[in-house]
Structure formats: structure tokens, C-alpha cells
Amino acid sequence: MSITDFFSSFFPTVHAEEEKAAEEAEAPQAEAKEEAAEEEEEEPEDIHPAIRDECRESSKCKESAKHFSHCTSKVEAGEGFKGEDCVEELFHMMHCVDGCAAPKLFAKLK
């Protein structure tokens, strides 16, 4: 037994004519899979950004949003101290917004 016989016992021998027939048989199946994938790709619109915007404008979070916008305008104008950023104000505002938006979002997801 030669080494080629040994390996050919594990792997089938394929000829060029058979490849064309196999490709032609797979083409309609591939097209059907692509069409099914296109139909599944349609997702509903995400309502979370709209809810977060509503909460940012609500009376509950308006104060923290005002502090954040004041801080960003001050830093962009160069009036703040060196290296100042508005991360703390952002965290306070997002904590308030997320706390307001979470119950509304989960109520709509049910």
C-alpha cells in the first residue's frame, strides 16, 4: 500500500467535472438562504434614544443636563482650568436619565 492510497482512503477523490455539477446544485440553495437572511434582517426601530431624550428634557433631569451643558460650553470656550473635563457632570446626568428611562423602556418591551 502506497502513501497516496493511504490518504485517499480517508479523503475522497474529486474530479473537475463533478465540481461544476456540485456548484450548479448549490447555487439555488445559496440564493434561497440569501433571500431568507434579507427577510430576517428587518429589525424594529429602537425606542431607547427617544425615551432617553424625553427623560433628559424632563423636570427631574433638567438640572443635571443644565450643569452638563454649562460645563461643556465653559470648557470649549477655554474658561475652565487646565485639563478640566465634564465627566462628573456627564455621569450625574446619565445616571438621572437612565434611572428615568429604564422603567419606561421595560414597560414598552413587555
Side-chain angles (χ1 to χ4, degrees):
M1 176 182 246
S2 71
I3 192 145
T4 56
D5 293 334
F6 176 74
F7 284 115
S8 65
S9 67
F10 292 114
F11 302 106
T13 304
V14 180
H15 299 284
E17 294 89 38
E18 292 179 354
E19 283 184 18
K20 291 178 184 176
E23 288 177 7
E24 291 174 4
E26 290 177 6
Q29 292 174 353
E31 290 176 8
K33 287 180 182 178
E34 289 177 10
E35 290 175 7
E38 288 176 6
E39 292 175 7
E40 292 177 12
E41 289 180 12
E42 297 177 19
E43 294 182 11
E45 184 180 340
D46 187 13
I47 59 173
H48 191 228
I51 293 174
R52 287 176 72 172
D53 290 340
E54 288 175 19
C55 286
R56 188 176 295 121
E57 299 299 321
S58 71
S59 61
K60 182 178 178 183
C61 299
K62 200 166 199 103
E63 187 70 26
S64 59
K66 182 180 174 184
H67 283 291
F68 177 68
S69 64
H70 174 70
C71 179
T72 54
S73 63
K74 183 174 80 170
V75 168
E76 287 174 357
E79 298 171 3
F81 60 87
K82 185 178 179 181
E84 181 178 14
D85 57 12
C86 301
V87 173
E88 184 178 354
E89 288 82 358
L90 174 68
F91 286 157
H92 287 293
M93 181 185 72
M94 293 311 298
H95 178 75
C96 179
V97 168
D98 288 340
C100 170
K104 294 178 182 180
L105 178 66
F106 286 111
K108 290 187 177 187
L109 291 177
K110 289 181 181 178

